[in-house]
Structure formats: structure tokens, C-alpha cells
Amino acid sequence: MTGRITLSTCLLGLAMTASAAGPESRLRFLKDVDRRDGSGDEILAAPLDDEIYAATRDGFPDLRIFDDRNAEVPYLIETIGRPRKTTERREPCPARVVSLHVDEGEALELVVTLDENVKSADGATIRTPLSNFERRVRVYGDRNGEWVILNEVGRIFDYARFMNVQNLDVTLSANGFRRYKFVIEQERDERESPFRELIRDRGRGVETEIISILRRPFRIDRIELWRNVEQEGGEVERTFSYPTTGFHVETDADEKVTRVDVETGRQPLNGLRLQTSSRNFSRPVRVLVPTDQKGRGGWVEIGRGALALFAFQGFRREELRVDFAERRAEHYRLVIDDSDNPPLDVTGIEGQGPGRRVVFLGEPGRTYRLLYGSKALEAPRYDAATVLGAIGRGRSPSIAALGPQRANAGFQQDVDRSSSFEGGLVLVLAIVLMVVVLAWALVSAGQRLKKLPMDDFGG
């Protein structure tokens, strides 16, 4: 009886072991996370490298972070970006016209003062309903009652009669003034009337055409003051260059194409860049990746474009990259259509694509290690995206570094999902055998009870 119970216990332990292996023991490699000078509460970001790309599956389900207590740490994988260049936008400066002086035939003078709590202006826009005009504008700033020139060569115009070209802006030099005087010169503004008048001299039989000249005042609807405000753009995806592990060039004279087979380290690529010593060419190109359909190998197209390089004397233009949707493949093939041209001299291939980094919360005094590389480990479900989104808004993460790759000493051979039937079958057989042994033990115990004398039970 004791032997049967021991056997049942062993089978139960085997079943539990087969179904409850921890994620740490299922990951093949590890790297230490170097926090550099950080030691307190901080958001850490560690860029992934080529060794991690080569050892992990698509989507990085086989990646985990543990601290020095062997506690699993939630993380988020994000695309590495770069800040956009700072841009400028116009911010209105509320103001009002306090005086207007007309010097007949010479100029218009307007004095404008800024509202309270408004910073100085960097420019002005003069709004007018007129078209087909040109005016010179001078701008002065009030410095303790003295007008200081800010702009001598400002010019506003509208050439609608010839084409849709207009400028109503006047740029001011850097200043700190609160009052401005605009002097709009009254240049001659005469235009022909569309109507003609004919006068006929009956005695001499001569006709005279009279052209009317229309003179119009320069009307201003309003003057809008504004200032330039710098505005930081959001992050845009940064493109990294990834080395390839090898390439092979083959020219097919019958099909008039050049095939370039490329091997990579499974980095996230969205383009391949050709390196060549050839010049003055333009060739169609396609990008293919291997596929396995119904057990038959083949290639499927994922992108196409054109390769070109023009170089003559001081002129040079090149387009040597072909784009495709991002993927992590080990093999790519470029098919270059040579037509009747000589094949290109391919000297190298460079992979290009985004970078990824792992982001997580670092606690004071803790050390961390990143483990990765499994054939069957499923992706974790963390709330790290929500947490980091709430507390990390407006914060820049501290950049951490990853140490050299090491083998995980506690690694146990994982079971591939493609062969999970075998592992599941072993687990089912162990459970069935355990149930049979327990049932057998119970039946045997019942039979033994029947054979015992009734006196042994006080009957």
C-alpha cells in the first residue's frame, strides 16, 4: 500500500512539474541592466540590441525582467523616437490704435499700443480690402517718448492683377516696446478706369480716346500685432542602420535580373539600402521573403520600388533604399530588373528600421536583469502601459545599458508550441496513470477489508 501511495505521489509531482515551470527557467539568455548613476525611483529605458533581436520571437513574448529578489517586473516595449525640430507659431498680441494722422499725398501714421500683460511684438499684419497695390512701411518703437526706428524697408503688396501674390506682413527687429508707430507711405496709387470715352471732331473727322485715371485712398481695416513662440514637436520614429550577416549576388542572364539574397539578425527592418560602386542607373526592384505554403517553400513579395544613382560632374542624386512593411525576418531577397543593362556592382546591403527599448519602473537600491529567448513562452499581460502613461507624462526616462549576453544557468529545455501535443500527451498519460493507480489502491483496500474477521471491528 505504501509503495502504491509513493508511486502516486511521484506521478502527481511529475504532472505538477510539467505544468508549472516558471518563466525564469524557460528563458535561455540574460543580460544585466546597468542603471549607471541612478539608484532612486526612476523610469528606466534600456535599448534592445542585436543579440536580443536574434534570440527572441516576433512581438517579444519571450522577454522578462527580474530584480535581485527574483520578483518579476512589469515592463513596456516602445519604439525609440527622436524629438522633432522646434517650430515657431504666431501668437496674437492684443492691441488698439490710439491715434491716426494723415499727411495728404505723403503718408499715413498710426500709433498702436499693446494691451496690459502682453509681451512685445515681433511683427504686424496690415489688413486692407484693396488689391493691386504696393506700399513701403516704416515702423518705430516708443522709448520714453522718443521714436526709435525698427524697420526701414518693410513692404506690403498685392499683385492680383498679374498673379496670386500678396504680402501683408511687416517683421520687426527684436525689441521690448509697448507702443509702435506705423508710417505707410502714400505712394502714387493710380489705375486706369475700365471705361473709355471717345470724342469725335465732326469737322476734321478725328476721333479721340480719353482714358480716365482712378485715384483711391489706401484703406486699412486693422493692424494685427503678433509674436513668434517656439513650440516643441512630438517624437518621430528614429531610423537605425543594422548590419547584415551576409549576402549573395546572383545574375540571371535569361530573366535579365540580379538576385541579392540577404541574411540578417532578425532586427526590426522596414527597408534595405543597397551599396554599390555603379553609377548613372535607374532600376526597378522588388523585396521578397521566404514563405512555406502547404509544405512547399517559396518567396512572397513584401515591397517594391526603384534604385537610382546619378552622378555627373558636380551633380549627384541617389535613391538606394527600397521600403517595405516592418518585419523581423532572417532572409530577404532583392530582385533587381536589369533589362538589357549591365548588372549592378553590389558591394553591400544595409538594413534600416526602427529601434525598440524596454521601459520599466526602477526602485531605490534594486538591481535588474533581463532574460529572453524561449520557443514557447507566451506574452505577459501587464498594466505597465497604463502606469507609465499616468506617471511618466512629461518625464524623460533614464537611459540604462545592457551588459554582455550570458547563458541562464537555471534554463530548462522549453517545449515548442509546434510540438506541444507531445508535452500535453505526456501530461495526460501521467494523470491517467495516477488515477488508475489510486483507483487500484482503493479497490485493493476494499477487498482487504472484506477478508478481515468481523471480530476485528467489534462485531
Side-chain angles (χ1 to χ4, degrees):
M1 181 68 179
T2 304
R4 297 189 188 97
I5 294 176
T6 302
L7 177 60
S8 300
T9 303
C10 293
L11 290 172
L12 180 60
L14 176 62
M16 294 179 62
T17 302
S19 60
E24 187 172 5
S25 62
R26 301 173 65 184
L27 297 164
R28 185 182 297 272
F29 304 106
L30 67 86
K31 289 175 178 282
D32 292 325
V33 178
D34 182 2
R35 300 183 65 173
R36 303 184 187 275
D37 297 331
S39 59
D41 280 326
E42 58 183 344
I43 301 175
L44 294 172
L48 306 185
D49 55 29
D50 288 346
E51 291 178 328
I52 296 176
Y53 291 137
T56 54
R57 309 198 319 270
D58 291 349
F60 308 99
D62 50 341
L63 190 151
R64 298 291 188 275
I65 297 176
F66 294 90
D67 62 15
D68 50 357
R69 300 167 299 184
N70 291 327
E72 188 171 341
V73 179
Y75 66 85
L76 173 68
I77 293 180
E78 66 178 18
T79 301
I80 300 176
R82 58 179 174 82
R84 288 178 181 165
K85 292 183 179 179
T86 301
T87 59
E88 286 188 349
R89 64 176 179 86
R90 286 185 179 181
E91 181 180 90
C93 298
R96 65 184 186 280
V97 177
V98 296
S99 69
L100 170 64
H101 175 72
V102 180
D103 189 354
E104 290 292 342
E106 296 295 332
L108 288 175
E109 293 186 3
L110 297 96
V111 177
V112 180
T113 182
L114 294 173
D115 291 352
E116 295 183 3
N117 301 322
V118 177
K119 296 182 178 180
S120 58
D122 295 325
T125 301
I126 300 175
R127 299 296 183 187
T128 174
L130 302 182
S131 60
N132 297 312
F133 66 85
E134 182 176 345
R135 294 286 190 278
R136 286 197 298 266
V137 181
R138 299 192 307 274
V139 186
Y140 300 82
D142 183 6
R143 178 184 295 166
N144 299 324
E146 179 182 356
W147 292 111
V148 179
I149 188 70
L150 290 176
N151 188 318
E152 292 184 354
V153 292
R155 186 176 293 271
I156 59 175
F157 54 81
D158 182 288
Y159 299 142
R161 182 173 54 181
F162 306 106
M163 62 189 304
N164 292 327
V165 177
Q166 182 188 71
N167 175 59
L168 302 178
D169 293 339
V170 179
T171 303
L172 308 180
S173 57
N175 66 91
F177 299 129
R178 307 289 306 167
R179 295 201 333 147
Y180 302 90
K181 181 170 70 172
F182 292 83
V183 178
I184 304 173
E185 295 185 2
Q186 287 278 27
E187 291 184 5
R188 189 175 180 180
D189 186 10
E190 298 178 345
R191 59 174 181 167
E192 296 182 1
S193 170
F195 302 103
R196 299 289 188 270
E197 182 178 355
L198 292 178
I199 299 178
R200 178 176 296 176
D201 188 338
R202 293 182 180 275
R204 293 182 298 176
V206 179
E207 292 184 352
T208 304
E209 181 180 2
I210 299 177
I211 301 174
S212 299
I213 302 298
L214 300 179
R215 294 183 177 177
R216 56 180 181 171
F218 186 75
R219 175 180 172 80
I220 298 175
D221 287 341
R222 64 189 182 277
I223 294 182
E224 300 172 350
L225 298 181
W226 42 263
R227 61 190 302 269
N228 294 319
V229 179
E230 290 189 350
Q231 182 176 2
E232 293 186 1
E235 286 192 342
V236 294
E237 186 176 281
R238 180 181 172 187
T239 298
F240 291 82
S241 296
Y242 295 106
T244 57
T245 57
F247 70 96
H248 174 72
V249 181
E250 180 183 78
T251 301
D252 191 327
D254 294 334
E255 297 188 14
K256 299 181 180 180
V257 298
T258 297
R259 300 185 185 92
V260 185
D261 289 328
V262 185
E263 297 180 1
T264 71
R266 287 183 44 77
Q267 301 97 332
L269 302 183
N270 56 22
L272 291 173
R273 181 176 179 83
L274 182 76
Q275 298 171 350
T276 177
S277 61
S278 303
R279 65 176 190 168
N280 295 322
F281 63 85
S282 178
R283 309 282 171 85
V285 61
R286 295 179 293 133
V287 186
L288 313 175
V289 293
T291 182
D292 186 7
Q293 297 179 349
K294 298 180 181 180
R296 294 180 299 176
W299 295 84
V300 61
E301 180 179 320
I302 61 171
R304 62 172 55 199
L307 302 174
L309 192 155
F310 308 105
F312 182 74
Q313 295 181 353
F315 173 79
R316 182 179 180 88
R317 191 182 78 191
E318 60 180 44
E319 298 173 2
L320 300 178
R321 170 178 159 136
V322 55
D323 297 326
F324 48 85
E326 181 185 330
R327 65 177 54 225
R328 294 174 58 200
E330 295 182 4
H331 305 284
Y332 297 85
R333 173 176 287 180
L334 292 178
V335 181
I336 305 171
D337 185 0
D338 295 323
S339 190
D340 293 324
N341 303 294
L344 300 180
D345 180 23
V346 180
T347 59
I349 297 289
E350 179 184 74
Q352 294 185 337
R356 300 284 189 270
R357 65 184 184 184
V358 58
V359 183
F360 62 98
L361 294 176
E363 297 182 6
R366 294 295 174 198
T367 59
Y368 300 93
R369 61 189 184 278
L370 185 147
L371 289 87
Y372 56 94
S374 169
K375 294 181 179 180
L377 191 62
E378 295 182 355
R381 299 178 62 184
Y382 300 137
D383 59 358
T386 303
V387 173
L388 290 171
I391 68 177
R393 187 175 292 108
R395 303 172 187 262
S396 297
S398 301
I399 304 302
L402 296 177
Q405 177 173 279
R406 308 198 318 268
N408 180 14
F411 172 72
Q412 298 177 6
Q413 186 64 40
D414 213 341
V415 179
D416 193 347
R417 285 295 178 190
S418 61
S419 60
S420 60
F421 174 76
E422 298 178 3
L425 182 60
V426 172
L427 179 60
V428 170
L429 290 177
I431 294 174
V432 170
L433 185 56
M434 179 184 66
V435 172
V436 171
V437 171
L438 289 175
W440 181 34
L442 291 174
V443 172
S444 300
Q447 291 177 350
R448 286 178 177 272
L449 288 174
K450 291 180 180 180
K451 294 179 180 181
L452 292 176
M454 296 301 292
D455 293 340
D456 294 343
F457 297 93

